[in-house]
Amino acid sequence: MALDSYVSLGRSGLKVSPFCLGAMNFGEDGGFGCGVEESEKILQGYLDRGGNFVDTANFYTNGHSEAILGDFLAARPGLRDRLVLATKFFGNLHLGDPNGGGAGRKAIIGQLEDSLRRLRTDHVDLYWLHNHDWSTPVEETLRTLDDLVTAGKIRYVGFSDTPAWFTAKAHTTALLRGWTPVIALQMEYSLLERTIEGELIPLAEDAGMGVLPWSPLKSGFLSGKYTRDRRTPADTRRSAVLGGPTDDQFEVIDALAAVAEEIGATSAAVALAWVRARPGVSSTLIGPRTLDHLEANLAGLDLRLTPEQTAVLDEVSAPALNFPYALNHQVGAMLKYAGATVDGRTSQVYPPLLADAARY
């Protein structure tokens, strides 16, 4: 697969590259990331490979990320309209201003206008709610976003890092009111973070939302640079702040390294290939900090894991999911089908049914 083998983002009409270029590291504000020159090299490298999906947020590097993207696109007339440009709202850049962030009408409009100014464009293709706003009525948020779609300032709406119950409520409300629905979810997902499989991925699949995983390498833990004898690499300040993997995480890292060695690939490429092939995933977010990182990540497009290799990684990384996931999967088919074979799968029989033929 290549970056120009485009995929539909969920059940929408939007077509995007299988890897989305995340611009969180564009700009050195905050003490990590990359400068303007390296950011532009990464952008150009991604575009040269056929990529068309770029994602940022209003508060990444204090707005510098958006500004770098805006300057790059402004210097290349015609390029902007060929890209799917996404950014997010929620983060407050104005100290002490209670209306500077969040998902209220005033906040959304103010944040979008600032983002459009920095991005040097008149619209955003995909606008993400970046967090759950517990104090704003969801109807206010959705109506504002729908108004912005009508005004032509945004094209599509996505949610990032929101609870499943809230996301389902918002999407259903939008459909019932005839407002713009949620077309995609951006959530953390990797071999070391699979808990969205409990409710968020089933919600996305049922509602036709595309899933865009972020941190598919778990902040570098799955990149191959961590080993048991070197738990905290010194090459980035961010890694030092996060600390190294736990013993349980190293079980997954070791299994990943073994699969990578078996097929002659890097751990990073295998981890990305695993995420990309997961049910519900439309495109996967990569956040390179150097051009070399970009090239290493793109190697994940060329890999196809065998069922056996996938099973090894699935088993070692299996998550403990919230109630009632385990209960439903343990007894659901048994209670529903009573031993019948359905869709090629056999079911067990509830023991009391076998113990006594009497029915009342």
Side-chain angles (χ1 to χ4, degrees):
M1 178 176 283
L3 283 177
D4 58 0
S5 294
Y6 304 110
V7 297
S8 297
L9 188 58
R11 207 177 290 157
S12 76
L14 198 59
K15 313 304 178 187
V16 298
S17 292
F19 279 0
C20 172
L21 180 62
M24 184 177 182
N25 287 319
F26 287 8
E28 297 171 302
D29 310 71
F32 54 84
C34 54
V36 173
E37 183 178 357
E38 190 69 16
S39 298
E40 292 190 344
K41 287 180 181 178
I42 294 169
L43 267 168
Q44 192 62 57
Y46 176 79
L47 297 172
D48 288 344
R49 293 280 293 269
N52 79 332
F53 192 12
V54 180
D55 179 83
T56 185
N58 68 324
F59 78 100
Y60 288 168
T61 55
N62 294 341
H64 197 190
S65 172
E66 288 186 330
I68 290 173
L69 288 172
D71 291 344
F72 181 89
L73 296 175
R76 294 158 178 80
L79 176 59
R80 163 66 188 93
D81 289 336
R82 306 282 69 81
L83 291 183
V84 176
L85 184 59
T87 193
K88 309 178 193 73
F89 67 94
F90 192 86
N92 193 336
L93 290 171
H94 307 285
L95 296 176
D97 179 3
N99 296 305
R105 177 174 286 267
K106 176 178 173 62
I108 293 173
I109 294 174
Q111 290 172 92
L112 178 61
E113 293 298 335
D114 284 343
S115 287
L116 293 177
R117 172 180 55 80
R118 288 188 291 264
L119 291 167
R120 300 177 68 173
T121 185
D122 61 0
H123 72 280
V124 170
D125 296 302
L126 178 57
Y127 204 35
W128 303 93
L129 168 63
H130 208 170
N131 210 291
H132 171 218
D133 188 335
W134 62 94
S135 66
T136 299
V138 69
E139 293 83 359
E140 179 179 340
T141 300
L142 295 170
R143 178 57 193 272
T144 303
L145 293 171
D146 187 66
D147 286 346
L148 292 172
V149 170
T150 301
K153 293 190 174 184
I154 65 176
R155 301 293 192 253
Y156 296 91
V157 171
F159 277 18
S160 179
D161 306 334
T162 53
W165 68 265
F166 173 78
T167 305
K169 175 183 177 180
H171 184 64
T172 302
T173 299
L175 293 176
L176 291 174
R177 297 289 185 91
W179 295 337
T180 302
V182 180
I183 69 155
L185 302 182
Q186 187 174 150
M187 301 285 170
E188 184 178 4
Y189 192 32
S190 73
L191 281 164
L192 291 177
E193 178 46 76
R194 293 179 55 186
T195 54
I196 65 170
E197 293 175 10
E199 295 193 1
L200 284 160
I201 284 185
L203 164 63
E205 291 186 291
D206 181 70
M209 302 173 188
V211 174
L212 181 71
W214 62 263
S215 198
L217 299 182
K218 189 61 175 178
S219 300
F221 285 10
L222 299 169
S223 67
K225 64 185 179 183
Y226 285 87
T227 61
R228 289 183 184 272
D229 60 352
R230 185 167 63 90
R231 298 190 174 214
T232 306
D235 56 341
T236 68
R237 175 177 153 185
R238 181 182 298 179
S239 295
V241 171
L242 289 171
T246 65
D247 288 338
D248 287 343
Q249 288 174 324
F250 269 115
E251 294 296 322
V252 179
I253 292 169
D254 291 344
L256 176 65
V259 171
E261 183 177 6
E262 176 184 333
I263 60 180
T266 65
S267 289
V270 173
L272 288 165
W274 180 88
V275 169
R276 183 171 56 79
R278 301 302 291 173
V281 171
S282 294
S283 180
T284 300
L285 196 65
I286 57 174
R289 195 167 41 84
T290 68
L291 187 58
D292 288 342
H293 288 167
L294 173 67
E295 294 298 332
N297 287 345
L298 294 182
L301 288 171
D302 301 324
L303 291 185
R304 295 292 184 277
L305 302 180
T306 66
E308 294 76 18
Q309 291 163 346
T310 300
V312 167
L313 296 176
D314 287 353
E315 182 177 355
V316 74
S317 66
L321 300 175
N322 289 340
F323 179 87
Y325 182 91
L327 175 68
N328 291 342
H329 282 70
Q330 289 166 1
V331 305
M334 177 179 68
L335 297 178
K336 181 177 182 180
Y337 293 128
T341 298
V342 180
D343 295 329
R345 295 184 179 181
T346 59
S347 62
Q348 295 179 325
V349 179
Y350 182 50
L353 295 180
L354 297 175
D356 194 328
R359 302 292 186 268
Y360 300 91

